[in-house]
Amino acid sequence: RERLCPMMGGLLTLGSVAAGTPMQGFAPSHQDNMNGEYPLSKTPGGKASHIKRFADYPGGVESFEVYSPPMTTLYSQVWWSPLPPVDLPADIVRRYNGTAMALVGWEVDQVRRTSEGVEKSVPMSASYNHHWDSWLIGAEARVRKVSLSGPDDPAAADLAGRRSGCGAELPWDQPQYVVEGPEWSVRGHPTHAALTSGNGGEFRKTLHGFAPGYALVVDSPAQLQITPMNIDTWNREAMDLSGPVPPPFVAGGGGGGP
C-alpha cells in the first residue's frame, strides 16, 4: 500500500519593524499570498482595517518558508503526534539573533513530493487536516521531549492548557514537546509564541494575520514546532492525485469502510 507523506509548509510574514526600529537589510516583498486572496466579511459598523494581501501591509513585509518533518500514513489512519522542532532558515536566525521579530501573519499549506521530486499540494479530500498547533521558539527558550502517563500526570494540565484544536485532549500515548525557559528575554521580549489558529480543513483560505499595528513578537527566533492532526482519506484505487484539480473524496472498501 502506498504511504502518504505530507509535510506542513509555513510561510511566515514579518513586518518592517523589529524591537521598535527599522530592520537593516529589510526588503519589502511584492509576491502574492501563498493561498491567494483571503475572503473577509466586514463587521457591521466597523472599519475595514485588515488587508487581504500581505504585500499591501503598511510599510511592507518580507517572508520565509519552513517545512515540518513528514507525516507518514496509510488509508484511514490518523496522524496525531507532535513533530520534532525544525530550525528556521540560517539567515533568519542570524539576522534576528539578539533582537525581536515582529510576526504579522502566517500562511499554511500541506504538500508532498512526488517520485520525480516535484512539490504538490495535498488536497483535503486526500489528507484532511482536523487541526494543528505550532510554536515559534526563541534562542532563550528550549524544547524538551516528554512522555506523560495520562491525564492525571502532574504535567498534563499545564501542557493541555497550551494546546488547542481538541480542547484539553492530548494523544497521551505520544511523546510531547514542552517549551521551557523564561517567558521574557533579557531584552524584555517574549521568548516564544503559540501560532494556534487551530482551524482545520479551511486553513488554506483563512487569514492568519493581524491588523496593522499589531504583531506577535519573539526574541531571537530559532525553531518552529508543529503538532498536526491529519486523517488519511486518500482511496488509492479511486482517487488520482496527479490531475490538475483535487479529486472528490471516494470512500473505500465497497461498503464505505477502509
Side-chain angles (χ1 to χ4, degrees):
R1 293 182 291 174
E2 184 175 356
R3 291 184 177 273
L4 183 65
C5 302
M7 301 174 290
M8 302 292 286
L11 187 70
L12 284 75
T13 307
L14 319 176
S16 59
V17 174
T21 58
M23 192 71 183
Q24 288 187 351
F26 178 83
S29 170
H30 300 289
Q31 68 184 27
D32 289 331
N33 295 339
M34 173 191 283
N35 299 319
E37 187 174 287
Y38 295 102
L40 294 174
S41 298
K42 183 180 178 182
T43 301
K47 296 181 179 179
S49 58
H50 273 291
I51 47 91
K52 295 184 178 182
R53 291 179 68 250
F54 283 110
D56 297 331
Y57 194 89
V61 299
E62 60 179 350
S63 61
F64 63 93
E65 293 185 353
V66 184
Y67 289 88
S68 77
M71 299 168 276
T72 304
T73 56
L74 297 172
Y75 180 64
S76 81
Q77 289 183 335
V78 177
W79 179 284
W80 189 22
S81 181
L83 295 167
V86 293
D87 293 337
L88 302 186
D91 63 316
I92 292 294
V93 174
R94 182 174 59 254
R95 285 176 56 195
Y96 287 91
N97 183 40
T99 188
M101 172 187 288
L103 181 65
V104 300
W106 57 93
E107 299 180 273
V108 187
D109 196 2
Q110 56 185 28
V111 298
R112 67 187 180 98
R113 290 195 176 99
T114 67
S115 57
E116 294 79 23
V118 178
E119 183 179 292
K120 299 189 69 174
S121 291
V122 178
M124 287 294 150
S125 57
S127 183
Y128 180 79
N129 179 264
H130 186 272
H131 69 271
W132 52 277
D133 302 296
S134 58
W135 288 91
L136 185 61
I137 305 152
E140 293 186 39
R142 61 185 180 275
V143 181
R144 183 167 62 94
K145 189 176 183 179
V146 300
S147 295
L148 305 182
S149 60
D152 296 326
D153 190 288
D158 178 66
L159 183 60
R162 295 172 178 262
R163 296 294 184 187
S164 66
C166 278
E169 292 298 321
L170 289 170
W172 301 111
D173 60 329
Q174 302 290 332
Q176 304 291 321
Y177 289 96
V178 180
V179 181
E180 298 180 325
E183 292 289 328
W184 302 93
S185 71
V186 294
R187 286 166 289 277
H189 303 298
T191 62
H192 57 279
L195 314 184
T196 51
S197 300
N199 57 333
E202 69 275 17
F203 70 73
R204 283 189 177 106
K205 294 303 293 181
T206 300
L207 174 65
H208 303 103
F210 302 98
Y214 296 86
L216 281 178
V217 176
V218 174
D219 196 305
S220 304
Q223 291 185 311
L224 185 75
Q225 188 276 318
I226 186 169
T227 302
M229 182 181 184
N230 271 50
I231 306 168
D232 189 324
T233 53
W234 179 24
N235 182 344
R236 274 67 165 170
E237 297 179 355
M239 296 169 61
D240 182 9
L241 300 189
S242 64
V245 296
F249 169 71
V250 180

